[in-house]
Amino acid sequence: MQKVKALRPGSTLGVVAPASDVSEESVRQGATELERLGFRVVLTDSLYSRHHYFAGLHTDRARQFMNFFEDPRIDGVVCARGGYGSVHLLHLLDPESIRRASKALIGYSDITVLLQFLEQQCSLVCFHGPMLAREFALGETAYDKQVFLDVLGSTQPGLEINCSHGITLRGGKSRGPLTGGCLSLLTASLGTSYEFQTKGKILFLEDVNTKPYQIDRMLMQLKLAGKFETVRGVLWGEMLGCVQGPQQDYRLPDIVMEILQEYNFPILYGVKSGHTSSRALTLPFGVEVELDADRRTLRLEEAPTI
């Protein structure tokens, strides 16, 4: 995997909207927060465009995405929000140009599609982290500022991410490249030329407002597709709003463990990255990590940036 340029206060971040449309107010608030951290912020010239439920035409969104990767004045790319639409860009992107640019892409939710594209088609490290019109717009209570700055600016191995808010479902320690994203988007990639890969990896899975039986169905699809056969460890997100209703008499972790009971890899549940209630973590994909489910930590065994 190719490392990307480190991002530190003073770096210029380009903001793109590869999926759903965004409001000017949320973008303004998010840009103000990034500027407070010391970053310079540049918006695409069609950021507020709209076509159906997308932030403009697919060709325009893809062009803006590529423009920021190819523009030497832009140090890294932050997504405004998720929603839906990133999948329409895949065949319009140039993996060679993206790899040559070697810039960080930051986002989650529907942006999972693009994170996987960078990781698999471009062999480039990328980041499952806060977005401009979401966490940054809400301010420091919505994302972990120190982890964001440390992960994006780290050029040395050994950084440890504290996941003490998580729950150990199966103890143990394992090591491998970190990958994953939103469960529903990863499941939708099966059978396509962009299907996500799990061999020898630490897998991060998260989703939002998805009923337990739907999560069960997606996990079974991944299981039947052999996606857990060679996984070395699994981290679960907070799974915000993933309940059946007020009368639900079972826990989602119980459902998870019933499906994954035959495997022996460590499992840590409730890691705050992506859709979370507070202080979202930034996770580097494509980087070798050590998951310690007993200590509830994630240690970066290599630097994510150069």
Side-chain angles (χ1 to χ4, degrees):
M1 296 294 292
Q2 182 168 304
K3 307 296 178 63
V4 297
K5 301 169 187 173
L7 296 177
R8 300 188 176 100
S11 297
T12 299
L13 300 178
V15 179
V16 295
S20 293
D21 56 292
V22 293
S23 73
E24 293 190 35
E25 177 62 17
S26 61
V27 167
R28 184 190 62 79
Q29 292 173 341
T32 298
E33 177 67 10
L34 281 178
E35 288 166 351
R36 187 183 70 84
L37 297 181
F39 295 99
R40 292 189 289 268
V41 179
V42 177
L43 309 180
T44 62
D45 56 23
S46 60
L47 189 68
Y48 304 119
S49 298
R50 186 173 181 181
H51 173 67
H52 301 322
Y53 29 78
F54 306 112
L57 298 172
H58 307 321
T59 51
D60 289 342
R61 302 197 319 278
R63 177 176 53 82
Q64 294 289 350
F65 189 89
M66 289 305 307
N67 283 350
F68 272 177
F69 268 91
E70 294 170 345
D71 188 339
R73 297 169 297 181
I74 303 297
D75 300 309
V77 180
V78 179
C79 294
R81 62 163 296 192
Y84 171 68
S86 297
V87 68
H88 286 283
L89 275 58
L90 296 181
H91 70 289
L92 299 170
L93 302 178
D94 182 351
E96 286 303 316
S97 291
I98 292 173
R99 180 175 169 82
R100 281 197 303 270
S102 189
K103 296 177 183 180
L105 175 68
I106 308 158
Y108 70 94
S109 193
D110 192 70
I111 309 304
T112 292
V113 172
L114 297 173
L115 297 178
Q116 287 296 316
F117 181 86
L118 262 68
E119 191 180 344
Q120 296 185 169
Q121 273 67 38
C122 308
S123 298
L124 204 60
V125 169
C126 50
F127 300 87
H128 189 270
M131 295 191 285
L132 186 92
R134 296 300 185 187
E135 289 71 28
F136 289 120
L138 292 171
E140 219 172 297
T141 59
Y143 72 101
D144 192 307
K145 181 184 93 171
Q146 198 57 54
V147 170
F148 175 77
L149 294 174
D150 287 347
V151 170
L152 270 298
S154 176
T155 57
Q156 298 295 324
L159 179 65
E160 188 170 276
I161 299 176
N162 186 334
C163 304
S164 59
H165 45 268
I167 302 168
T168 302
L169 298 186
R170 183 187 290 129
K173 186 186 294 185
S174 62
R175 180 172 170 166
L178 183 63
T179 191
C182 189
L183 175 60
S184 55
L185 274 300
L186 294 172
T187 305
S189 77
L190 297 183
T192 74
S193 57
Y194 302 101
E195 181 172 325
F196 81 109
Q197 303 301 314
T198 60
K199 185 176 181 180
K201 297 187 178 182
I202 305 294
L203 180 60
F204 174 74
L205 299 172
E206 67 100 27
D207 220 314
V208 65
N209 298 331
T210 307
K211 295 185 184 300
Y213 78 86
Q214 294 171 318
I215 294 168
D216 185 317
R217 182 172 60 207
M218 288 186 283
L219 281 182
M220 282 304 301
Q221 188 172 352
L222 297 187
K223 184 176 182 178
L224 293 172
K227 291 301 178 182
F228 295 112
E229 295 297 326
T230 56
V231 162
R232 294 180 180 171
V234 174
L235 295 110
W236 281 89
E238 187 177 346
M239 306 305 284
L240 197 64
C242 294
V243 294
Q244 185 70 37
Q247 305 306 315
Q248 179 177 311
D249 60 355
Y250 52 84
R251 301 184 316 136
L252 185 55
D254 298 331
I255 305 299
V256 167
M257 289 306 294
E258 283 185 15
I259 296 172
L260 302 181
Q261 60 182 327
E262 66 197 71
Y263 307 105
N264 59 10
F265 47 69
I267 303 175
L268 184 61
Y269 183 95
V271 176
K272 287 182 177 289
S273 185
H275 300 97
T276 70
S277 56
S278 64
R279 294 181 61 78
L281 298 172
T282 303
L283 303 178
F285 286 173
V287 170
E288 187 89 5
V289 301
E290 181 187 77
L291 166 63
D292 190 331
D294 296 306
R295 291 182 59 235
R296 293 175 291 172
T297 59
L298 195 67
R299 175 186 165 89
L300 308 191
E301 296 298 312
E302 59 178 325
T305 66
I306 55 175

